[in-house]
């Protein structure tokens, strides 16, 4: 008996083929989220007068420099503040953009209303004449209104401009590289005379409290001159060493002598006898205990 003929292998595979599973189409790519809007670096400048000029001046500034510019306030905002104006201190290294920041600040201050009324201006104070010349050149980049609102001066020039007495009394020697202050009206005994004019009643009362009945008018006059000199030297001690009125307060006294700590030291020695020969104590103004007299007069001076 013959065997049945075998089917070709390819037909067998076709008959046994299992249908492949249905593959789902890939999901559509996600829609990209919109990029966040860039932060407006100049948001605090929007709406100011001359907005375009102001933003143009601030365009080169870094975010850190803009933080300094953002501290500027209008004259009305300062007037409404119970604490009034305020001082902002900027610490920056050389060639870090200080002048660029200051020029932009001048433009912003002008836009806020500073220097817009007659007789008002923004003072740009510099150390010396060279710095002033450099600042004047850079200020040509400012808008016309900002140029009119600022006055660039050295600190000495600003002091003379604001105080007529200084302008009349203090001179600079011509052709001098050192540029020292000169005050011809305060030479010789003029300082003592000025102190006696300001503190005359106090000096006379202090001298009379320690003068002996036999003292002559000439002796009392010499004592008043010495007393005025010691007041001036006490005031000078305060200027050079202390710098705040609290140092001249009655509470700031030496515990051992009960004399103000900033009192001129030769005056203290004259009372305590330190460094002098035995038996030679209180040679001048012998009955006038210094106490806080000289520091109190220095406060008035």
């Amino acid at each position: 008996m013959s065997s049945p003929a075998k089917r070709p292998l390819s037909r067998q595979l076709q008959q046994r083929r299992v249908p492949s599973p249905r593959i789902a189409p890939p999901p559509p790519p996600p829609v990209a989220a919109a990029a966040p809007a860039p932060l407006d670096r100049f948001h605090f400048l929007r709406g100011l007068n001359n907005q375009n000029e102001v933003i143009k001046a601030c365009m080169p500034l870094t975010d850190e420099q803009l933080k300094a510019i953002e501290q500027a306030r209008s004259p009305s905002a300062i007037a409404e503040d119970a604490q009034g104006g305020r001082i902002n201190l900027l610490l920056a290294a050389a060639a870090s953009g200080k002048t660029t920041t200051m020029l932009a600040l001048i433009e912003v201050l002008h836009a806020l209303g500073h220097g817009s009324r007659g007789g008002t201006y923004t003072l740009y104070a510099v150390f010396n004449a060279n710095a002033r010349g450099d600042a004047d050149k850079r200020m040509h980049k400012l808008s016309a209104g900002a140029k009119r609102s600022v006055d660039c001066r050295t600190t000495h020039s600003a002091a003379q401009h604001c105080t007529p007495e200084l302008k009349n009394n203090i001179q600079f020697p011509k052709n001098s590289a050192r540029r020292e202050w000169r005050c011809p009206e305060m030479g010789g005994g003029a300082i003592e005379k000025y102190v006696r004019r300001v503190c005359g009643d106090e000096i006379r009362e202090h001298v009379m409290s320690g003068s002996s009945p036999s003292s002559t008018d000439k002796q009392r006059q010499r004592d008043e001159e010495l007393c005025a000199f010691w007041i001036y030297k006490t005031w000078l001690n305060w200027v050079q060493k202390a710098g705040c009125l609290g140092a001249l307060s009655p509470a700031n006294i030496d515990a051992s002598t009960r004399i103000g700590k900033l009192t001129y030291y030769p005056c203290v020695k004259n009372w305590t006898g330190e460094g002098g020969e035995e038996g030679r104590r209180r040679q001048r103004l012998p009955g006038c205990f210094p106490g806080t007299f000289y520091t109190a007069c220095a406060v008035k001076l």
Side-chain angles (χ1 to χ4, degrees), residues 174-208:
K174 294 182 179 180
N175 302 322
S176 172
R178 298 182 62 188
R179 294 291 181 188
E180 295 178 347
W181 291 94
R182 270 193 326 198
C183 190
E185 292 190 3
M186 298 299 281
I191 293 177
E192 287 83 353
K193 290 180 181 178
Y194 175 76
V195 177
R196 291 177 68 185
R197 186 165 70 247
V198 174
C199 306
D201 294 339
E202 292 85 349
I203 291 174
R204 281 187 291 273
E205 183 178 349
H206 184 67
V207 170
M208 289 294 294

Side-chain angles (χ1 to χ4, degrees), residues 55-297:
I55 294 179
K56 180 181 176 182
C58 295
M59 194 68 71
L61 302 184
T62 64
D63 292 343
E64 192 173 15
Q65 289 170 312
L66 284 175
K67 287 182 180 179
I69 299 296
E70 198 171 356
Q71 305 305 312
R73 296 185 295 167
S74 65
S76 58
I78 295 174
E80 293 171 1
D81 191 340
Q83 296 180 351
R86 59 189 175 193
I87 296 174
N88 290 310
L89 175 64
L90 307 181
L91 301 179
S96 60
K98 295 186 296 294
T99 304
T100 305
T101 305
M102 292 297 102
L103 293 178
L105 180 60
I106 292 170
E107 200 75 62
V108 173
L109 289 173
H110 169 63
L112 287 170
H114 292 276
S116 58
R117 293 184 294 105
T120 65
Y121 59 91
T122 297
L123 174 63
Y124 187 96
V126 294
F127 183 69
N128 54 32
N130 292 335
R132 178 185 175 183
D134 179 66
D136 284 336
K137 292 178 183 178
R138 291 170 178 258
M139 285 183 186
H140 287 302
K141 300 178 182 179
L142 296 174
S143 63
K147 288 179 186 177
R148 292 192 298 268
S149 72
V150 65
D151 188 12
C152 181
R153 292 177 178 270
T154 64
T155 50
H156 289 166
S157 173
Q160 292 187 37
H161 179 71
C162 297
T163 311
E165 292 80 3
L166 289 177
K167 189 174 182 180
N168 295 333
N169 296 337
I170 298 178
Q171 303 172 359
F172 287 107
K174 294 182 179 180
N175 302 322
S176 172
R178 298 182 62 188
R179 294 291 181 188
E180 295 178 347
W181 291 94
R182 270 193 326 198
C183 190
E185 292 190 3
M186 298 299 281
I191 293 177
E192 287 83 353
K193 290 180 181 178
Y194 175 76
V195 177
R196 291 177 68 185
R197 186 165 70 247
V198 174
C199 306
D201 294 339
E202 292 85 349
I203 291 174
R204 281 187 291 273
E205 183 178 349
H206 184 67
V207 170
M208 289 294 294
S209 67
S211 298
S212 63
S214 59
S215 298
T216 63
D217 292 341
K218 190 173 182 178
Q219 288 174 332
R220 279 194 293 270
Q221 182 178 354
R222 286 200 303 266
D223 288 342
E224 289 179 9
E225 291 173 354
L226 177 64
C227 189
F229 177 73
W230 284 348
I231 291 172
Y232 162 67
K233 285 294 189 178
T234 299
W235 174 85
L236 194 60
N237 269 350
W238 169 70
V239 170
Q240 294 175 341
K241 298 177 182 178
C244 63
L245 285 176
L248 293 172
S249 70
N252 190 26
I253 60 175
D254 183 88
S256 58
T257 63
R258 309 300 297 172
I259 298 174
K261 288 185 178 180
L262 287 182
T263 303
Y264 183 47
Y265 188 58
C267 170
V268 179
K269 287 177 61 177
N270 176 74
W271 177 261
T272 61
E274 295 178 9
E277 297 179 9
E278 189 67 26
R280 297 181 59 189
R281 299 183 61 181
R282 299 191 288 276
Q283 296 177 356
R284 303 294 303 272
L285 306 177
C288 303
F289 174 57
T292 58
F293 169 74
Y294 292 96
T295 52
C297 288

